[in-house]
Amino acid sequence: MISIGPNESRVEASDSPTPTTSSAEKVVANGDVLTEILIRLPVKSLLRFKFVSKNWNSLISSPHVARLRNPDPCSVSGLFSHPTRHGACLFRWSERTKHLNLGLEFIPLKNGKAPAHEPDDQDAYIKSLTRFPNLSDVIVLNSCHGLLFCLGYNEVEGKGGHHILNPTTKQFKTLPQPHQDGLEDLCLAYDPSESPHYKVVGLWRSVSISQWETYYHIEIYSSETGSWRPSGNSYMVDEVDFPETSFNGGVYENGAVNWLNLGPGDSLYINIDQERLGTIPMPPAPHGKWWYDRAYMYYGKSRGHLHLIEMYNQTTQLTVYEMERDYSGWFMKYNVNIAAVGIAFPELMQIPNSWYIGCSVLDIVREESDEESYMVFSVGGKFVEYRLVDGSFKTICDASQHNDGDYPLIYYHWCNSHEYIESLSCV
């Protein structure tokens, strides 16, 4: 025993161990391990975890995590669809589009079910994808790699206009107004594998009445600068030779925005990086037919392929073309006869005094295996999946049973549709 005097201090060795870093702290500090955990979590959890810290928000919002979480950026989860509203100018915000409810629908394409990580309530899941906080009267113009370009009313700012919307995160950004006079088309151009920034390309026209010429001009919005600027390129059409030229339905693919010409003559594209305009030759009409005998049933992209579907007169024969990547022309990819579908859905052919069959082709979904690729179309308010190789088909859902819009889809045979790809991309 050691005695300690009254003026001496007692010194004892501590039994507490030296503080060590916990396993959880080690995981959080290791960016690679944390990333591996985050990419396996449901989207709703990831969105909540953005608020943990600035570092977590930056990591979850990064293109790297988005690519790892969705290794197949072309995987389409569903379609946003609404009827075409003829007579309304749907490329600008005005009193004509204010409060215009086209009945936006969501059509799930993953075997007709919500993704496994989403709520079990299918109806709640579908409705949640068509409801956007602080943004109402939404009219989708086009989609690109998980982002939507749309018209809508910004309830926070109290004004309508154009917006970039991520339907997964519910975030949206209101854009400054583009050139209005002679506006022909607007198209979103976005590829997260190339850049976190997106662009919106506007096509507008001016007319020289004295010379019978129409000039098409380009205007480009960049999310990096937050402003519009004119491109120095323009394209002239001789109205004497091509009096019914009409470029619309811009689709971003192959590094360019590609417009379809509904009239005679070539279609038009602009390479985004080089801002170079070029033309796309259209498929020749069959013997004995003219361009005005042709009906374009679909124009869009899937898994790096640009597609065009045409039909002549009221028939069940559809030709699916694919564009050559060098813009040299189109080749026939699928020759589809949906006569068997007409037996299952008699309303397909019951459109009196109509040039078209009673269906609207909404999308072509190319899968990694060509045998799994399919076409989606609507008929009588129902949405049908049609396999392009073996011709089998099935009903995905019946939109006429739950449409809440002013214009139920069952009354429309021509619809606009836009792919939904789950994304965490920022706007």
Side-chain angles (χ1 to χ4, degrees), residues 78-95:
L79 301 175
F80 289 103
S81 182
H82 55 66
T84 298
R85 173 69 168 172
H86 296 291
C89 183
L90 298 183
F91 285 104
R92 69 191 70 190
W93 182 265
S94 68
E95 291 300 318

Side-chain angles (χ1 to χ4, degrees), residues 26-41 45-47 49-70 423-426:
K26 289 181 179 179
V27 169
V28 171
N30 189 318
D32 293 337
V33 176
L34 180 59
T35 297
E36 287 298 319
I37 295 174
L38 292 176
I39 62 176
R40 289 168 171 77
L41 296 177
S45 298
L46 287 177
L47 296 180
F49 289 160
K50 278 188 172 186
F51 296 98
V52 170
S53 68
K54 290 183 178 180
N55 288 337
W56 279 44
N57 180 51
S58 177
L59 180 61
I60 294 171
S61 302
S62 68
H64 175 65
V65 168
R67 285 195 297 269
L68 289 177
R69 191 181 183 284
N70 184 14
S423 169
L424 296 176
S425 297
C426 296

